[in-house]
Amino acid sequence: MKKAINIFAAGILCLSMISCSAAGNHPKEDAAEKSAETTAVESVSEETSAWNSSGVPAAENSSEEIDYTTGTPWMNIDLIGNVTADTPADPKDNFALWANKDRILSLEIPERYGTAGDLVDITIKADADRKAMFHGPVPENHDARLAYDYYYLLADWDSRDAVGVVPLKEMVDVVEGIKSLDDMTEYLVNTPGENRLCCLWTQEARQDPEEPGNSILSLKYGYYFLQDRAEYREMTDEGEYQKEVFTTFLQKMLVKLGYSEEEAAQKIDNCFAWETAANSNDPDEEKDDSSEFTNDIDHLYTRDDLMAITPNVPLLETLEKADGYPAMDKYYIQDPVYFENLNELYTEENLPLMRDYLIMEGIWEMADVLDWESYVLVSECFSALNHEEPPKSDRETYPESEAYSDVNMLLGWAVAQLYVENYTNPEDKERISKLVDEIIAAYRGIIDEADFISDETRAGAYAKLDHLSKNVLYPDSWEPYSFEDVDFAAKEDGGTLWEAYRALKKHEHGKEVSKASGPYDKTSWDSFPFGVNCSYEPAVNGIYIYAGFAQGNNYHPGISDEELYAKVGAGIAHEISHAFDAEGSKYDKDGNMNNWWTEEDRAAFLKRNEKLAAYYNAMHPWEGQDFDGDNMKGEACADMAAVKCILRIAAGKENFDYDKFFRAFADRYACLDTPQMAMVRLEDVHPMNYLRVNATLQQYDEFLDFYGITEGDNMYLAPEDRVAIW
Ligand SMILES: [Zn+2]
């Protein structure tokens, strides 16, 4: 499916998990975000800063008025044009410039990108690698073969056009046949989940906050079109715009399905009326803002509790009879107000709204697996949502440009197996896993020596480290991601995309049900290993170092130890540090939001965070432009703790080549940004790359001493002014 969605800082940011998808809450978006990591043209991932140049907000000031070379305490060397062959470079003045000058002068920003550097190169490589996989020999492995076959079914436009919108029309007609509230109940309760057009709520498995070894079913609001639920309470201009874009798309699809223009307009109105009514209550309204923490346990509802707030809605019957979930003693309800509201709305009077809501959401869900015309309409809709020009859609180039990422939508894990077989190996996994263990041991030392926390808090921090889930390159076992139960006919055997799609939807549904009913698997991956990314997931207390990240300049089997520590090692240590930054530290060893801090220690910790934020607030990328230190404190904290970790390891090594290490660390961040990209980076949670080098390294005596940096040098920072939190 679709190109990744990208407004401005779109994509995946570790920890904060901000995903600025241009559309509301849809399964499509989840998958699009996942693939965004790999298409990364459009993604901002944890370590990746490879945004494309389109969809970027225009600079507020015209670039002609700004002298970009006026940054303090360092010139922003990331900006194109700021560094020239004549620019003097001295490690004591601007280390990042000194280390990276030659590289910066040689970098060129690739077409369609707003920046250049290692991560752009690795992203381009990942794209090319993944395309190539589908043109090699037919794989023997069952799952890899499914991915391979699905790719060619996606690209089989003659068959797709022959099928047209007929299968969707059949599903729509069933919903049109709902004439009473009893019919609606009947539809929900008796249609297997994978065969329903849509539902009035959504569900997913998550960890039981009371019994972390078990899974629990989390029930949430239904799908909705607009990006933010708040739009339904108070519409912004952007909300109006999105509504208009979806209306255009739905109108055309409905006409294709045989409705008149007037009927279509009415149905779209009905759908938005339902979404507005269903999202009319503010889930945060009654929240007590006095506490930094919310407690996951407060969201647990027994069966009776749940039935008490939804007596009118066939919620449990649908889950158990149609979806096949076992009856459970308790459920996790993220937003009880939604269900109370739904209970009021589930009436005969609202039947036309509910019906048309199911139809509109179903169309949006499935249009892109139908014919070429529908596919183009979905693509155009996504482009418009991203404020981009529509793509030049072309049936001939589709396999090269889009099919290879569309195959991820339902078969990402099969694609992942194909990728891992082709581009990485168990020796790499073992080497990097050892590195993870070494870094965790060093982090223990950091916690040992932290003088601002009591032994009680220290015990909570140790527990987080001891329970950290370590996910390196790819899953240890493919079994949980297996498609062994799926079979569909390949193109040459007369198969169609629609049949394959239905088979995969059924599989996906069954997988969700079994996930919610078994023990909670902390080691399960939510993102595909071919992503050019690393992350820390607070709700799992786990780090993820994806195979797509350990490529190119970041990692190759012959890499020296110093470079390995600087590139992959610092990345791993950075992710672990997120367990102990302002946000991640709110979660306990099991990934639940539980406070493991004493009041006094927490206050001291937050004070250190304030000092860190203030340090960035005092810097400027160019004259007159501020940074938002508060926004960046989590990432800056992680960068600094990461280097501290590696320096602890280095201290125990004989003949550790510090120069090689510090230069490799700087090299990792060498980049070249367009001015538009600089504007995007101002909003990002990561400090700009030159600061990730300079402001991080200057915290440590090992660095200052090695290069003889002392008071009076621009790179010098007095011990009392240093801001590393750990
Ligand atoms: Zn981070």
Side-chain angles (χ1 to χ4, degrees), residues 13-16 45-47 534-536 571 574-575 577-578 581 634-636 638-639 685-686 692:
L13 302 166
C14 87
L15 181 66
S16 53
S45 47
E46 166 51 24
E47 299 302 327
C534 302
S535 66
Y536 171 75
H574 171 108
E575 297 310 333
S577 307
H578 277 313
D581 73 10
E635 295 300 331
D639 282 344
V685 290
H686 302 90
R692 296 187 78 170

Side-chain angles (χ1 to χ4, degrees), residues 182-226:
D182 286 346
D183 285 354
M184 178 60 83
T185 298
E186 175 94 352
Y187 175 75
L188 294 174
V189 173
N190 289 323
T191 316
E194 71 270 17
N195 292 342
R196 275 194 308 262
L197 263 186
C198 186
C199 196
L200 302 172
W201 59 86
T202 56
Q203 68 266 339
E204 64 182 356
R206 58 159 283 153
Q207 177 173 223
D208 182 344
E210 257 177 351
E211 300 163 74
N214 292 340
S215 296
I216 189 168
L217 193 61
S218 165
L219 301 175
K220 290 206 306 189
Y221 38 79
Y223 297 125
Y224 53 90
F225 280 106
L226 303 183

Side-chain angles (χ1 to χ4, degrees), residues 188-189 196 199 201 314-324:
L188 294 174
V189 173
R196 275 194 308 262
C199 196
W201 59 86
L315 182 62
L316 290 172
E317 298 92 305
T318 303
L319 289 171
E320 286 155 28
K321 209 168 156 213
D323 295 334

Side-chain angles (χ1 to χ4, degrees), residues 13-14 16 18 631-636 681 683-687:
L13 302 166
C14 87
S16 53
I18 298 164
N631 186 39
M632 302 188 301
K633 64 180 191 284
E635 295 300 331
R681 289 198 196 269
E683 312 253 323
D684 187 21
V685 290
H686 302 90

Side-chain angles (χ1 to χ4, degrees), residues 36-41 43 45 47-50 103 107 110 113 115-131 404 419 423 529-534 546-556 559 567-568 667-670:
E37 291 174 69
T38 55
T39 55
V41 186
S43 98
S45 47
E47 299 302 327
T48 310
S49 299
R103 176 110 195 263
L107 282 173
Y113 284 78
T115 182
D118 276 357
L119 283 156
V120 172
D121 294 346
I122 295 168
T123 299
I124 291 173
K125 177 185 184 300
D127 263 13
D129 285 348
R130 285 205 294 125
K131 283 177 192 172
Y404 81 99
Y419 179 86
Y423 303 109
F530 46 75
V532 182
N533 207 357
C534 302
Y546 300 97
F549 175 78
Q551 297 283 327
N553 260 1
N554 273 352
Y555 180 83
H556 52 90
I559 196 168
K567 289 167 188 277
V568 180
D667 180 63
R668 185 173 156 212
Y669 294 109

